[in-house]
Amino acid sequence: MPNNQQPEELKNFNRDITDFTAANPGIKVTGDEATFDVRTFQALLAGGKLPTVFYVPFTEMQGLIARKQIADITGAIPKDSAIARINPSVQKIVKDSSDHIYGVPVQAYSMGLLYNRDLFKKAGLDPDKPPTTWDEVRAAAKAIQSATGVQGFASMTKDNTGGWALTTMSYANGSTIESADGKNATVDNDATRSALEFYRSLRWEDNTFGSNFLIGYNDAMKAFAGGKIGMFVQGADAYKMLVSNLGMKPDDFGLAPLPQAAQGLGTLGGGTVAIINPRASADQVKAAIKWAEYVYLRKYGSQEAAVADAKAKAADKQPVGEPALSLFDQATTDSYLGWVKDYVNVPRQNYAAYLASAQTMALVPEPPTNTQETYGTLDTVVQAVLTRQDADINALLKDAQRKVQATIDAG
């Protein structure tokens, strides 16, 4: 559940509880502020302290399923459930080889290029025509820094986020980090090399990469919301945190499709799954499924639910119609947006290019094996390139290749 530092989201969460329990009087819902952290999650599981419903990234699901650490909910899903209508490409994230289901996808995203529209204007750039190539990103970073003194481009670099962003850049340049079956590391490749050379050019030739090279997710989001970064690669679902939680002006939030090299594979896609504690009783499992459907999925199948949810969020100054990937097909998404059009309170025209690309740009899944450990290894590569002008990219990638393969081999 949101904490006191997120008052509007907490209000929305509490309203969900009130509405849900009114519709399901036999179920009691108690909030818990525990959130996923790769460093503490296994201890939470082993100590029996996992809440009945918990939220994890897509990347964790196959490992949790293989280790039988979460509840198999297949038999508890109602026949008319919205879960059955979720896109097959998303559903496979929560299934094992026998098609048993172990969670409810509640949110999906793809990576894009976030940019500050106000800084674009001040730099003489057209905010309605964001960069479509990495050369254009580089040129825009120079223009922003020259005209405003603000750091033109940034990247997260620690807590596995540097590796996450670098993996995204690798996809855009034409290669993955692991083989599709997750058995082989493919870190040492020309696409990742190109991404690191791009970083090096902005850092050491253009001086548009700033001076702090130990920044995580929250650091980067705060800096971007505060107008201290012109552009960075981030999840396209960042609108709510940046605008609702961190106070960024809605009209300053720019979102573009992730630029692609000629051989680019697409953009990284991911999301969040509601899992259920394996120690939960049968009744708790059924109640947890009802909660996930009611809060996250019901509005896509019911105009009444969609309008009620949108009206309440708009009244609470929460975003309605913010950029996100739909869990369902385009027809379902279009129906939902039609139902709530009177309550949409975000400038969707400002990210029209991203919304159009979301229907056509390929989504490449995150590395399938030991994802977070792989990202952690790549963090150090990114940090080295940004802090050492003489960093040997070839040697760094060779070493990272060896380390990631060792992690894969160790299971």
Side-chain angles (χ1 to χ4, degrees), residues 61-93:
M61 286 304 298
Q62 290 304 308
L64 291 170
I65 292 170
R67 295 188 295 270
K68 302 186 185 301
Q69 291 180 303
I70 52 179
D72 181 342
I73 65 173
T74 310
I77 299 174
K79 290 183 179 179
D80 60 348
S81 171
I83 296 171
R85 300 194 300 274
I86 290 174
N87 277 336
S89 61
V90 175
Q91 279 196 22
K92 70 180 181 180
I93 299 294

Side-chain angles (χ1 to χ4, degrees), residues 25-158:
I27 299 174
K28 180 180 179 180
V29 180
T30 302
D32 191 305
E33 291 185 7
T35 57
F36 178 80
D37 186 325
V38 68
R39 296 166 296 185
T40 60
F41 178 64
Q42 289 298 329
L44 200 64
L45 264 174
K49 296 182 179 180
L50 192 74
T52 303
V53 180
F54 195 72
Y55 302 92
V56 302
F58 279 8
T59 53
E60 301 302 304
M61 286 304 298
Q62 290 304 308
L64 291 170
I65 292 170
R67 295 188 295 270
K68 302 186 185 301
Q69 291 180 303
I70 52 179
D72 181 342
I73 65 173
T74 310
I77 299 174
K79 290 183 179 179
D80 60 348
S81 171
I83 296 171
R85 300 194 300 274
I86 290 174
N87 277 336
S89 61
V90 175
Q91 279 196 22
K92 70 180 181 180
I93 299 294
V94 300
K95 289 183 175 182
D96 65 10
S97 58
S98 300
D99 275 347
H100 282 223
I101 300 172
Y102 290 82
V104 181
V106 297
Q107 178 260 346
Y109 74 88
S110 67
M111 298 290 273
L113 179 72
L114 267 62
Y115 65 99
N116 186 305
R117 292 174 58 85
D118 182 58
L119 291 175
F120 264 55
K121 293 175 185 175
K122 290 176 178 177
L125 302 169
D126 186 346
D128 293 326
K129 295 180 180 178
T132 60
T133 68
W134 294 110
D135 285 343
E136 290 178 0
V137 170
R138 184 178 181 182
K142 289 180 182 179
I144 289 169
Q145 190 147 328
S146 175
T148 69
V150 173
Q151 178 179 341
F153 186 85
S155 176
M156 302 169 289
T157 61
K158 69 175 186 177

Side-chain angles (χ1 to χ4, degrees), residues 209-223:
F209 217 111
S211 57
N212 182 4
F213 306 113
L214 283 175
I215 62 174
Y217 181 89
N218 290 331
D219 306 317
M221 294 288 269
K222 289 176 182 177

